[in-house]
RNA sequence: GGACGCGUAGCUCAGUUGGUUAGAGCGCGCCGUUCACAUCGGCGAGGUCACAGGUUCAAAUCCUGUCGCGUCCACCA
């Protein structure tokens, strides 16, 4: 048998993937042998609309390594694939596309928009899935699912209804983060703070001095707040009324004393704008104060602003200041006030807090069946290691976040997503949960005058249920109940590992744990393995919205999937970011070629026609100790060490260490030392048998060790060795 | 403001519970191609493991402090 002089991945990868896929071994139901113990990874569903980036390559590499390893160890392995409609993310991308075409969703019908967005996502979805194939992902495509598939939506709706009935979901007039551009509320996680330098104004408010960077919010200020212990304002009592001249004329203000005021900040006096500020909102709630909307949802001033009504806030600001100045109410301006402003994480538009009715999930409210709150169940699970977050660093971060958790707003005023299954009675205003869309009469007042809620769910409300929703959906498709023998949910839940990026620890992982306990009283997964971010060569974060994503398919074309995978895993400790240098990938292509040539050397000996039968060459049984040379003994001993250590590292998720030691062994022990020694030994007829046997045993073992990391080249070489079964289901080496 | 992490060879980074001459990829210097591989081989240069203390028989690894860098969370009217 003669191999090509160099390994050519382009001739191999597509062919091998097809062999794997045709074998059916991606599907746990079709694996050879009697496999009882399941090992399950639910794939974090990639955003269906987004082209693949190196983050995908990294997660596929890690998860595929784990799955292939466990498959070789005889587990009933399920890697559940899927794609994500990614509500807001996708809508933003799609709206940008519309914008380029000179269109806008605000000029479209909702149905028209949804259909176009659906088609857009569907066409990109296949591209994403094929990219996963090119990366060698050995996931079970027969179970492939999409977050908007009806079986998933059904599970999501059932959870919503159950939570609503349990009083864990409520509709509230609460202050939310409002993005003017995207015309939707956002959760705190979907906003970011940006440092800006803006003028800061000191104003005369009757006898007081107040300060603000946002004079346009001040029209409705009819309360003035100070700390009860502040000696400077002793003469003012809580509830005192004062008349004073303000922007648009005389007003009456009421003194409020509250400890929330920081006496050391500014003058220790502030006025409040409950409709547009979180602290002020809380104060107003506490003291039952009036709340007035100053700015509408398009960022324009309302009639309360008098002559400024209808103006955009930023345009009005200098005019308001000018008027204050003319009235002698402006004391001074600090032009270089540095502060952080909250902005939309997608478009950096200033976030305006607004009171808008939204649906919330109560995170800290105990469950009606006497279980603790969603938040507390998740904290308990992590403390008790029912869910183990790998690396202490992330566990700490997780706990810190959980302990400060607030209620979660789950409604969005966008169109791309799962509609909230609620109707409102126009007569008695009762919200009616209608998950089947069959209710036409208000159960309370019998009115037939019902209107549909127009909001959609936060994507994470549905993807937070992904681990059990996917398995339940699989069962629904097969007509199985979740408790039936052999159902996916029964067999594969809880799953073993959740592998994902640390950047969605709060968005996703935390929510999955909470939903899972709520719904099943079990953890969704036993371990959480968080990988870092693949950064570009300037260490910049790669993201769809920044447009700096590097297409991994180009790198694969040049160097091969195995090289990319090995480069990604090679120096990747859990949780550390990875700046990917192309040189590293190139080096790993060389390694694949090295492996190829090791096999080529061994196979060539066979062709040269030694005394050995091919069966001996390819049998791969461990050489018997008698008749081996010190060199044979040494390499076999080292092989044992590597098998041992690599196995240990695979079990403890130190994949990069396993990769490194295998690499070192193959190149610098086996090739550099033993193969060189073998050339001399083969000249001696008496040593030929044991030498060949040592070479072959070592090679076969190496192929098994490397297969999870470099599946293509190892499977290809394996096939040249006339093996009966595929390497992907060969047994992991033991010693 | 709160929390977390990092500082190891010219560059990018590994180094699990403290234990022999601290590693990899790339780069660099010299030598070597009929004999698996030039996508290679051999030899080599290069690190006071940020700094200062401490614990220990033993510290890159544990503790304290200093300097420098970064991340996350929250946010002052």
């Amino acid at each position: 048998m003669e191999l090509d002089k160099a390994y050519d991945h382009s001739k191999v990868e597509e062919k091998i993937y097809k062999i794997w896929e045709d074998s059916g071994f991606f599907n746990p139901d079709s694996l050879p042998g009697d496999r009882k113990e399941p090992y399950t990874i639910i794939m974090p569903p990639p955003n269906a609309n987004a082209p693949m980036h190196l983050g995908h390559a990294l997660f596929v590499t890690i998860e595929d390594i784990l799955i292939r390893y466990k498959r070789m160890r005889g587990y009933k392995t399920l890697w559940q694939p899927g794609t994500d409609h990614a509500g807001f993310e996708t809508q933003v991308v799609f709206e940008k596309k519309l914008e380029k075409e000179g269109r806008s969703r605000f000029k479209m019908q909702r149905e028209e928009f949804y259909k176009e967005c659906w088609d857009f996502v569907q066409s990109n979805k296949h591209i994403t899935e094929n990219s996963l194939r090119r990366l060698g992902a050995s996931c079970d495509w027969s179970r492939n699912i999409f977050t908007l598939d009806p079986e998933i939506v059904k599970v999501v709706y059932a959870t919503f209804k159950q939570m609503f009935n349990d009083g864990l979901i409520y509709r509230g007039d609460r202050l939310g983060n409002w993005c003017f551009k995207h015309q939707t509320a956002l959760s705190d996680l979907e906003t970011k703070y940006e440092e800006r330098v803006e003028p800061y104004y000191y104003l005369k408010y009757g006898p007081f001095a107040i300060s603000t960077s946002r004079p346009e919010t001040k029209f409705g200020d009819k309360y003035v707040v100070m700390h009860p212990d502040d000696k400077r304002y002793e003469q003012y009592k809580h509830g005192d009324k004062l008349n004073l001249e303000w922007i648009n004329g005389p007003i009456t203000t009421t003194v409020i004393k509250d400890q929330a005021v920081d006496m050391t900040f500014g003058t220790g006096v502030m006025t409040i704008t409950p409709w547009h500020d979180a602290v002020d909102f809380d104060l107003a709630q506490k003291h039952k104060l009036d709340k007035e909307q100053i700015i509408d949802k398009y960022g324009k001033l309302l009639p309360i602003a008098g002559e400024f009504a209808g103006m955009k806030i930023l345009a009005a600001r200098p005019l308001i200041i000018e008027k204050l100045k003319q009235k002698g109410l402006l004391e001074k301006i600090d032009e270089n006030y540095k502060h952080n402003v909250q902005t939309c994480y997608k478009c950096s538009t200033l976030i305006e807090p607004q009171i808008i009715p939204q649906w919330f999930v109560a995170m800290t409210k105990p469950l009606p069946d006497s279980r603790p709150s969603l938040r507390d169940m998740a904290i308990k699970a992590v403390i008790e290691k029912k869910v183990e977050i790998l690396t202490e660093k992330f566990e700490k971060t997780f706990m810190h976040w959980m302990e400060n958790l607030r209620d979660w707003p789950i409604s969005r005023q966008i169109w791309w997503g799962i509609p909230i299954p609620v109707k409102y009675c126009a007569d008695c205003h009762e919200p009616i949960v209608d998950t089947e869309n069959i209710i036409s009469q208000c159960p309370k007042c019998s009115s037939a005058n019902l209107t549909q809620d127009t909001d959609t769910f936060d994507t994470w409300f549905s993807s937070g249920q992904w681990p059990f929703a996917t398995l339940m959906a699989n069962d629904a498709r097969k007509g199985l109940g979740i408790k039936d023998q052999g159902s996916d949910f029964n067999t594969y839940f809880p799953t073993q590992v959740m592998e994902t990026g640390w950047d969605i620890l709060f968005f996703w992982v935390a929510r999955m744990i909470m939903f899972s306990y709520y719904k099943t009283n079990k953890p969704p997964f036993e371990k959480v393995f968080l990988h870092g971010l693949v950064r570009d060569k300037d260490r910049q974060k790669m993201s769809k919205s920044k447009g700096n994503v590097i297409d991994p398919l180009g790198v694969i074309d040049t160097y091969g999937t195995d090289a990319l995978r090995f480069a990604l895993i090679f120096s990747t400790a859990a949780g550390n970011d990875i700046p990917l240098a192309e040189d590293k990938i190139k080096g790993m292509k060389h390694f694949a070629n090295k492996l190829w040539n090791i096999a080529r050397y061994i196979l060539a000996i066979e062709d040269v026609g030694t005394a050995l039968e091919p069966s001996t060459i390819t049998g791969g049984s461990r050489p018997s100790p008698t008749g081996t040379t010190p060199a044979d003994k040494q390499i076999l001993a080292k092989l044992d060490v590597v098998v041992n250590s690599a196995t240990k590292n695979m079990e403890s998720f130190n994949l990069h260490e396993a990769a490194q030691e295998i690499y070192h062994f193959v190149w610098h022990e086996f090739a550099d030392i033993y193969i060189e020694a073998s050339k001399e030994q083969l000249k001696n007829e008496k040593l030929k048998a044991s030498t060949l046997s040592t070479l072959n045993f070592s090679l076969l073992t190496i192929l098994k060790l490397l297969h999870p990391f470099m599946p293509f080249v190892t499977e290809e070489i394996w096939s040249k060795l006339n093996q009966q079964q595929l390497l992907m289901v060969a047994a992991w080496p033991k010693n």
Side-chain angles (χ1 to χ4, degrees):
Chain A
M1 167 95 48
E2 176 99 23
L3 298 187
D4 290 348
K5 194 165 177 180
Y7 173 61
D8 184 355
H9 62 270
S10 66
K11 287 187 192 163
V12 170
E13 293 179 356
E14 203 180 333
K15 174 189 77 182
I16 292 285
Y17 194 87
K18 188 168 186 327
I19 292 170
W20 290 332
E21 206 170 353
D22 291 347
S23 76
F25 295 155
F26 290 172
N27 184 338
D29 304 325
S30 315
L31 280 167
D34 183 26
R35 294 167 186 247
K36 292 206 169 59
E37 199 170 341
Y39 186 88
T40 309
I41 297 178
I42 306 287
M43 180 189 291
N47 188 335
N49 90 76
M52 190 173 69
H53 55 77
L54 284 169
H56 294 114
L58 180 63
F59 94 68
V60 169
T61 299
I62 296 171
E63 291 171 31
D64 197 48
I65 287 170
L66 294 172
I67 278 289
R68 285 182 186 270
Y69 167 68
K70 290 291 179 178
R71 191 183 288 121
M72 291 174 79
R73 296 214 68 172
Y75 286 81
K76 192 175 169 70
T77 43
L78 170 62
W79 188 14
Q80 168 71 49
T83 40
D84 189 2
H85 72 283
F88 185 56
E89 293 268 343
T90 300
Q91 173 147 337
V92 168
V93 170
F94 188 66
E95 285 193 62
K96 273 186 191 157
K97 182 176 173 285
L98 288 176
E99 205 175 305
K100 274 185 197 154
E101 296 163 2
R103 302 161 70 198
S104 161
R105 78 146 156 143
F106 301 111
K107 292 174 186 159
M108 292 170 79
Q109 293 299 311
R110 183 172 181 150
E111 291 71 25
E112 179 194 3
F113 176 89
Y114 192 88
K115 184 173 183 316
E116 278 197 36
C117 194
W118 175 273
D119 293 342
F120 173 70
V121 168
Q122 287 304 315
S123 59
N124 289 336
K125 188 167 166 282
H126 300 297
I127 297 171
T128 300
E129 287 161 359
N130 284 328
S131 301
L132 298 182
R133 287 185 164 85
R134 290 210 60 192
L135 286 163
S138 62
C139 52
D140 181 9
W141 292 110
S142 75
R143 284 174 163 87
N144 193 24
I145 200 154
F146 180 50
T147 51
L148 294 181
D149 282 345
E151 297 87 351
I152 296 288
V153 173
K154 199 175 168 189
V155 174
V156 171
Y157 277 0
T159 305
F160 177 80
K161 189 173 187 174
Q162 190 185 345
M163 292 179 102
F164 180 82
N165 291 338
D166 280 347
L168 295 176
I169 283 185
Y170 62 92
R171 188 166 166 84
D173 284 335
R174 289 221 343 221
L175 201 66
N177 308 307
W178 184 261
C179 174
F180 293 129
K181 178 176 165 73
H182 293 116
Q183 289 292 301
T184 182
L186 298 170
S187 74
D188 289 345
L189 286 172
E190 289 159 330
T191 66
K192 59 179 195 261
Y193 287 88
E194 285 182 7
E195 193 176 88
R196 293 201 182 155
V197 177
E198 292 179 324
Y200 194 64
Y201 309 99
Y202 293 81
L203 309 177
K204 213 176 274 179
Y205 188 77
F208 308 107
I210 62 167
S211 52
T212 185
S213 60
R214 304 201 51 203
E216 70 274 11
T217 65
K218 295 285 158 195
F219 293 101
D221 288 3
K222 55 181 187 181
Y223 301 101
V224 59
V225 193
M226 57 211 76
H227 197 283
D229 299 339
D230 197 329
K231 296 273 184 283
R232 290 172 291 183
Y233 308 108
E234 259 179 341
Q235 73 261 42
Y236 303 103
K237 304 290 177 226
H238 184 84
D240 282 359
K241 307 265 186 206
L242 294 166
N243 294 316
L244 54 87
E245 181 63 24
W246 196 225
I247 312 171
N248 286 332
I251 62 162
T252 302
T253 193
T254 306
V255 173
I256 303 293
K257 296 267 182 162
D258 195 286
Q259 300 184 339
V261 176
D262 179 358
M263 284 190 278
T264 65
F265 185 86
T267 57
V269 175
M270 64 180 193
T271 58
I272 60 170
T273 314
W275 199 284
H276 300 289
D277 184 279
V279 173
D280 298 358
F281 179 84
D282 290 343
L283 273 170
Q285 289 291 84
K286 185 173 165 187
H287 296 284
K288 298 191 171 30
L289 310 178
D290 294 340
K291 307 185 194 80
E292 285 168 287
Q293 186 172 9
I294 317 295
I295 301 161
D296 73 6
K297 65 179 189 171
Y298 305 107
K300 289 180 180 167
L301 289 162
L302 288 163
I304 192 170
E307 67 194 82
F308 304 103
M311 294 182 73
K312 288 259 186 183
I313 51 177
L314 287 181
R317 191 179 289 176
L319 303 179
I320 296 166
I321 288 301
E322 184 55 34
K323 183 166 185 195
L324 283 163
K325 195 176 167 185
Q326 281 171 11
K327 296 183 77 167
L329 296 175
L330 179 68
E331 287 195 337
K332 63 170 176 170
I333 303 175
D334 176 357
E335 290 290 347
N336 295 309
Y337 181 65
K338 202 189 282 183
H339 67 151
N340 292 327
V341 297
Q342 194 178 15
T343 62
C344 171
Y345 82 124
K346 280 291 160 200
C347 66
S348 292
T349 299
L350 186 73
I351 288 291
E352 186 67 60
Q354 294 266 21
I355 299 174
I356 294 160
Q358 300 288 354
W359 288 97
F360 290 88
V361 175
M363 308 308 279
T364 55
K365 182 179 173 185
L367 270 52
D369 58 9
S370 80
R371 286 188 291 166
S373 67
L374 297 174
R375 190 265 306 263
D376 292 348
M377 285 195 293
I379 289 178
K380 189 160 169 272
V382 171
I383 289 174
E384 291 175 354
K385 299 279 179 196
K386 298 281 193 290
V387 175
E388 189 182 348
I389 299 176
L390 291 174
T391 77
E392 200 184 344
K393 167 172 128 183
F394 289 122
E395 187 178 311
K396 281 181 185 166
T397 309
F398 176 86
M399 293 306 259
H400 187 252
W401 188 76
M402 289 300 280
E403 276 154 16
N404 297 303
L405 198 55
R406 296 195 292 168
D407 285 357
W408 172 24
I410 53 167
S411 45
R412 298 289 179 274
Q413 290 66 50
I414 61 172
W415 291 342
W416 179 243
I418 300 176
I420 291 180
V422 170
K423 289 171 177 164
Y424 300 97
C425 175
D427 295 321
C428 70
H429 306 292
E430 190 74 5
I432 306 150
V433 176
D434 182 12
T435 57
E436 322 266 320
N437 197 21
I438 47 170
I439 296 173
S440 57
Q441 231 184 10
C442 175
K444 202 172 172 186
C445 72
S446 301
S447 165
N449 195 359
L450 306 183
T451 54
Q452 177 68 42
D453 191 314
T454 53
D455 290 352
T456 51
F457 283 115
D458 178 1
T459 294
W460 303 102
F461 184 80
S462 51
S463 53
Q465 305 179 47
W466 195 238
F468 56 81
T470 49
L471 298 174
M472 288 173 173
N474 291 343
D475 291 335
R477 288 175 174 183
K478 290 178 191 157
L480 289 171
I482 58 168
K483 286 179 181 159
D484 289 349
Q485 189 67 31
S487 78
D488 271 11
F489 183 75
N490 208 6
T491 308
Y492 301 107
F493 195 86
T495 68
Q496 274 59 60
V497 180
M498 172 47 61
E499 194 285 331
T500 190
W502 58 254
D503 54 323
I504 53 174
L505 179 60
F506 306 141
F507 276 113
W508 198 39
V509 177
R511 271 92 179 242
M512 284 191 285
I513 298 171
M514 291 188 277
F515 274 124
S516 181
Y517 270 95
Y518 174 67
K519 194 89 168 175
T520 72
N521 224 14
K522 288 176 185 170
F525 28 73
E526 293 165 0
K527 290 187 196 303
V528 178
F529 182 95
L530 297 166
H531 62 245
L533 298 174
V534 184
R535 295 177 179 271
D536 69 13
K537 58 182 186 301
D538 302 319
R539 304 187 63 80
Q540 287 291 306
K541 185 173 167 178
M542 294 182 187
S543 72
K544 295 174 280 293
S545 51
K546 276 186 194 158
N548 64 344
V549 292
I550 293 170
D551 177 17
L553 298 181
V555 181
I556 287 176
D557 286 340
T558 311
Y559 303 108
T561 297
D562 290 328
L564 174 61
R565 289 171 59 124
F566 216 70
L568 281 170
I569 207 66
F570 201 71
S571 53
T572 308
N576 289 9
D577 287 354
I578 308 138
L580 189 78
E582 198 165 316
D583 278 347
K584 196 185 261 177
I585 306 173
K586 191 173 166 189
M588 294 311 165
K589 176 185 159 74
H590 296 175
F591 179 58
N593 188 58
K594 186 76 183 177
L595 184 67
W596 180 261
N597 273 288
I598 288 169
R600 185 164 177 259
Y601 165 73
I602 293 172
L603 281 164
I605 299 166
E606 180 188 6
D607 278 2
V608 165
T610 65
L612 287 167
E613 292 298 316
S615 61
T616 313
I617 305 272
T618 57
S621 58
R622 192 183 184 83
S624 84
T626 53
T628 54
T629 66
D632 298 339
K633 286 189 174 72
Q634 195 184 29
I635 198 67
L636 290 170
K638 282 183 174 168
L639 186 60
D640 285 345
V641 170
V642 173
V643 167
N644 224 327
S645 176
T647 305
K648 224 168 85 186
N649 280 322
M650 296 298 272
E651 291 294 335
S652 57
F653 297 92
N654 288 313
L655 307 181
H656 64 292
E657 285 192 62
Q660 284 180 28
E661 61 199 4
I662 298 167
Y663 175 97
H664 187 263
F665 173 80
V666 170
W667 202 315
H668 302 298
E669 304 282 355
F670 186 59
D672 287 352
I673 297 173
Y674 186 71
I675 285 186
E676 291 311 312
S678 77
K679 290 174 183 172
E680 282 306 308
Q681 290 190 183
L682 286 168
K683 290 175 184 165
N684 183 337
E685 284 297 327
K686 285 180 188 164
L687 297 179
K688 246 181 197 166
S690 67
T691 304
L692 270 170
S693 153
T694 304
L695 284 169
N696 287 310
F697 177 72
S698 301
L699 175 60
L700 293 173
T701 306
I702 285 166
L703 291 176
K704 290 174 188 171
L705 290 174
L706 274 175
H707 181 258
F709 300 93
M710 306 185 108
F712 290 105
V713 66
T714 52
E715 189 76 77
E716 174 70 3
I717 294 171
W718 184 264
S719 75
K720 303 290 185 194
L721 298 170
N722 297 321
Q723 297 298 314
Q724 297 301 310
Q725 56 176 175
L726 290 175
L727 178 56
M728 74 177 289
V729 289
W732 183 258
K734 291 195 184 99
N735 61 344

